[in-house]
Amino acid sequence: MSSTIDERVVEMRFDNRQFESNVQTSLSTLDKLKRSLNLDGATKGLEGISAASKNCDMSGLSSAVQTVQARFSALEVMAVTALANITNSVINTGKQMLSSLTIEPIKDGFAEYELKMGSIQTIMMSTGASLQDVNKYLNELNTYADRTIYSFADMTSNIGKFTNAGVKLEDAVMAIQGISNEAAVSGANANEASRAMYNFAQALSAGYVKLIDWKSIENANMATVEFKTQLLEAAVAAGTVEKTTDGMYRVLTENNQGSTMDEAIDATKNFNDSLQYQWMTTDVLVNTLRDYADETTDIGKKAFAAAQEVKTFTQLMDTLKEAVGSGWAMTWEILFGDFNEAKAMWTDASNYFGGMIDAMSDARNSMLQGWKDLGGRTAVIDAIKNAFGALVSVVKPVKDAFREIFPPMTSQQLYNMTVALKEFTSHLKLSDTASANLKKTFKGIFAVLDIGKQAFSALFKGIVKHKRLLYFVTNMVLPLITSPLSSRSCSVRAVLGLSTYSHVPPSVRI
């Protein structure tokens, strides 16, 4: 047993030594690792960073951050304002679009319906066509307007000008469509097409197209080479122009002076100059426009396709408004009737309400006439006179009392007042003697003031100069006089020894 214990003790000692050896080895290894990593330098580096961070002035960066924040705040306000404006614009645009397709077409449709009624009257009177024929052609124009970008109102208002110029109704309808198609193929808008309709209608009233009328077509950008070529070909068919072998054209008609044109023309040469020879007659223009309106011709098919093409948002809105407006025009026509039905209805309404108004007017005027015949008008006038007389009866005594105290001004009294004013102002001016005396008086006053000034100045200077005496009298003599008898000896001694008192200011010592 003792042997076992001894072995264990020995073994324990042996293990302890081995543990200490291993610990020393580990510490040595850690020390080498520390020296390799240079942790002391790292600590100093961190301490340097800490010191540098304390010395670093971050106020500039903070100011920059605040500036950037302010800029971003301004940008935020701008962005919010811009978004609000964009939103308002979108809302207003939507409201306008909604109104354009809902409320405005109702009014436009009613205006279109009334315009149609007036145009029917004009067309029937100028052509002698029946209402059925007129409605048929106008419905044809209305259908064409719905299919294209052009306005039925413009067509309706101008078709009467064509018929008044002697153009048949059928040809006038075809001409109106042809002008619209030609405007479409040349790239003109609805307003330019309307102006072209008006100018062509004026030209047709003279029987031929003059240069001034054609200038308007050029200003509308409708005088294309293709259009002028079509006009020349129609003039060849009408016999006013002939085609030469070189592809040019020669005018066969004469001008107002009876002379013919010697130069050859085509779509790009001498075209405007040739118009004075009146070769572009009504037939030439109408036949050309008929070709543009006929979908079976090559130019008509091309022009009609161009009239149906919507190239911009504005044209889209105009086309939609025209379609909705035409629908409402038909609605109003159903409600109020066609030309004859509307004429009968509104005539009956006018007669009924007119008769009612006339009856009311007759009853009122009859009553007033009887009242006048019985003397009512005279009685009113007399009542007004009596009222004014009563007012005068109150005012007159007051006026008379005032005049008794203050008589009315006469010319003589006014003159006397003027003369008195003149005499009074004449005495306001001082004479030479009075002026001299006034001068002396004020001179004396000013002299007295000057003496007082000098006396006050001398007194002040004397007081300053004799301040020692003033101090002596105030602080020594007066106390000596006013003090009791028993203490005067001390005061005398004090006066006699004045120069030895240390509390006396040096400037007043004797």
Side-chain angles (χ1 to χ4, degrees):
M1 179 175 178
S2 60
S3 170
T4 303
I5 295 172
D6 292 340
E7 290 177 359
R8 289 182 177 178
V9 171
V10 174
E11 184 178 2
M12 183 67 181
R13 291 175 180 174
F14 176 78
D15 292 340
N16 187 34
R17 290 191 188 96
Q18 186 178 3
F19 173 74
E20 290 179 355
S21 177
N22 292 334
V23 168
Q24 292 296 328
T25 302
S26 299
L27 290 176
S28 176
T29 303
L30 291 174
D31 187 56
K32 293 179 181 179
L33 178 62
K34 177 180 177 181
R35 287 195 301 270
S36 300
L37 294 176
N38 193 16
L39 294 177
D40 294 336
T43 304
K44 294 179 180 180
L46 292 175
E47 292 176 353
I49 292 174
S50 176
S53 64
K54 292 179 180 179
N55 296 328
C56 182
D57 186 9
M58 303 296 289
S59 60
L61 180 60
S62 175
S63 177
V65 171
Q66 292 178 358
T67 303
V68 172
Q69 181 182 4
R71 298 288 175 84
F72 274 105
S73 298
L75 291 175
E76 180 181 1
V77 173
M78 294 172 60
V80 171
T81 304
L83 289 175
N85 292 333
I86 293 172
T87 303
N88 292 331
S89 299
V90 171
I91 293 174
N92 293 331
T93 303
K95 291 169 60 178
Q96 185 176 2
M97 291 177 59
L98 183 62
S99 176
S100 300
L101 298 177
T102 54
I103 299 175
E104 291 184 5
I106 298 176
K107 298 185 295 182
D108 295 341
F110 187 76
E112 183 177 310
Y113 165 72
E114 291 192 332
L115 179 61
K116 180 180 178 181
M117 296 297 106
S119 298
I120 288 174
Q121 181 74 25
T122 302
I123 295 170
M124 290 177 63
M125 292 299 101
S126 60
T127 61
S130 64
L131 177 61
Q132 183 178 1
D133 291 337
V134 174
N135 282 331
K136 182 185 71 172
Y137 287 116
L138 289 181
N139 289 334
E140 181 180 342
L141 280 180
N142 195 6
T143 303
Y144 171 81
D146 293 341
R147 295 173 60 189
T148 61
I149 61 176
Y150 298 105
S151 171
F152 174 73
D154 294 334
M155 298 178 185
T156 307
S157 62
N158 286 298
I159 193 172
K161 299 180 179 66
F162 278 81
T163 56
N164 287 331
V167 180
K168 295 180 180 180
L169 179 58
E170 180 182 1
D171 294 337
V173 171
M174 297 293 290
I176 291 292
Q177 295 185 33
I179 293 174
S180 300
N181 286 343
E182 202 282 323
V185 79
S186 62
N189 56 36
N191 293 330
E192 292 170 337
S194 177
R195 186 164 67 248
M197 294 177 193
Y198 178 79
N199 292 327
F200 275 141
Q202 281 188 322
L204 293 178
S205 63
Y208 62 95
V209 178
K210 299 184 290 293
L211 178 60
I212 188 172
D213 301 317
W214 186 253
K215 283 292 184 181
S216 301
I217 305 302
E218 288 183 336
N219 293 333
N221 298 321
M222 293 174 58
T224 62
V225 173
E226 185 179 44
F227 184 40
K228 290 187 285 187
T229 302
Q230 293 292 329
L231 288 170
L232 289 171
E233 291 295 331
V236 171
T240 58
V241 172
E242 67 175 4
K243 195 170 185 178
T244 60
T245 56
D246 57 354
M248 299 292 287
Y249 299 88
R250 189 169 68 88
V251 179
L252 301 179
T253 55
E254 299 176 350
N255 59 10
N256 293 329
Q257 287 75 32
S259 59
T260 58
M261 185 175 184
D262 297 332
E263 296 85 357
I265 66 171
D266 63 2
T268 59
K269 182 180 179 181
N270 299 325
F271 186 88
N272 289 358
D273 295 337
S274 66
L275 293 176
Q276 63 175 313
Y277 295 93
Q278 306 175 10
W279 61 267
M280 193 186 299
T281 61
T282 300
D283 292 337
V284 172
L285 179 60
V286 170
N287 291 333
T288 303
L289 296 177
R290 183 185 291 111
D291 291 337
Y292 273 89
D294 189 359
E295 293 187 64
T296 61
T297 62
D298 293 337
I299 188 62
K301 185 183 300 181
K302 175 182 177 182
F304 198 87
Q308 292 179 302
E309 294 174 350
V310 179
K311 296 177 287 294
T312 62
F313 176 77
T314 303
Q315 289 181 350
L316 172 63
M317 295 301 299
D318 292 340
T319 303
L320 296 179
K321 287 172 60 178
E322 179 64 29
V324 179
S326 297
W328 274 104
M330 183 60 66
T331 301
W332 293 119
E333 185 171 354
I334 293 172
L335 293 175
F336 297 131
D338 59 12
F339 180 77
N340 290 332
E341 294 171 342
K343 181 170 63 174
M345 183 186 71
W346 293 120
T347 301
D348 292 341
S350 176
N351 293 335
Y352 176 78
F353 289 107
M356 183 184 299
I357 294 173
D358 291 341
M360 294 172 58
S361 300
D362 292 341
R364 181 181 64 252
N365 293 333
S366 177
M367 178 189 66
L368 292 176
Q369 185 64 46
W371 167 77
K372 177 181 178 182
D373 295 338
L374 293 174
R377 177 178 177 275
T378 304
V380 169
I381 295 175
D382 292 339
I384 295 174
K385 290 181 179 179
N386 293 335
F388 276 104
L391 180 62
V392 171
S393 66
V394 175
V395 175
K396 188 175 183 303
V398 178
K399 174 185 175 184
D400 294 340
F402 179 82
R403 288 306 180 194
E404 288 180 1
I405 303 301
F406 304 101
M409 181 66 67
T410 61
S411 301
Q412 185 64 40
Q413 290 177 338
L414 182 61
Y415 173 74
N416 293 336
M417 291 175 61
T418 307
V419 173
L421 179 63
K422 175 185 175 183
E423 292 178 356
F424 172 74
T425 54
S426 65
H427 295 296
L428 294 178
K429 183 179 180 181
L430 294 177
S431 61
D432 294 339
T433 303
S435 177
N437 293 334
L438 182 64
K439 178 180 178 182
K440 292 178 180 179
T441 300
F442 277 95
K443 185 176 180 181
I445 293 174
F446 295 148
V448 171
L449 294 176
D450 184 64
I451 292 172
K453 174 185 175 183
Q454 294 178 3
F456 179 78
S457 177
L459 179 61
F460 180 77
K461 290 180 180 179
I463 291 173
V464 174
K465 184 176 181 180
H466 298 86
K467 59 183 178 179
R468 296 180 180 179
L469 178 61
L470 179 62
Y471 182 84
F472 175 76
V473 172
T474 303
N475 295 279
M476 301 299 174
V477 177
L478 289 179
L480 179 63
I481 296 174
T482 58
S483 63
L485 183 62
S486 59
S487 61
R488 290 182 181 179
S489 58
C490 296
S491 299
V492 171
R493 287 195 302 268
V495 171
L496 295 177
L498 180 64
S499 61
T500 63
Y501 288 122
S502 60
H503 67 275
V504 179
S507 60
V508 297
R509 290 179 182 176
I510 299 174

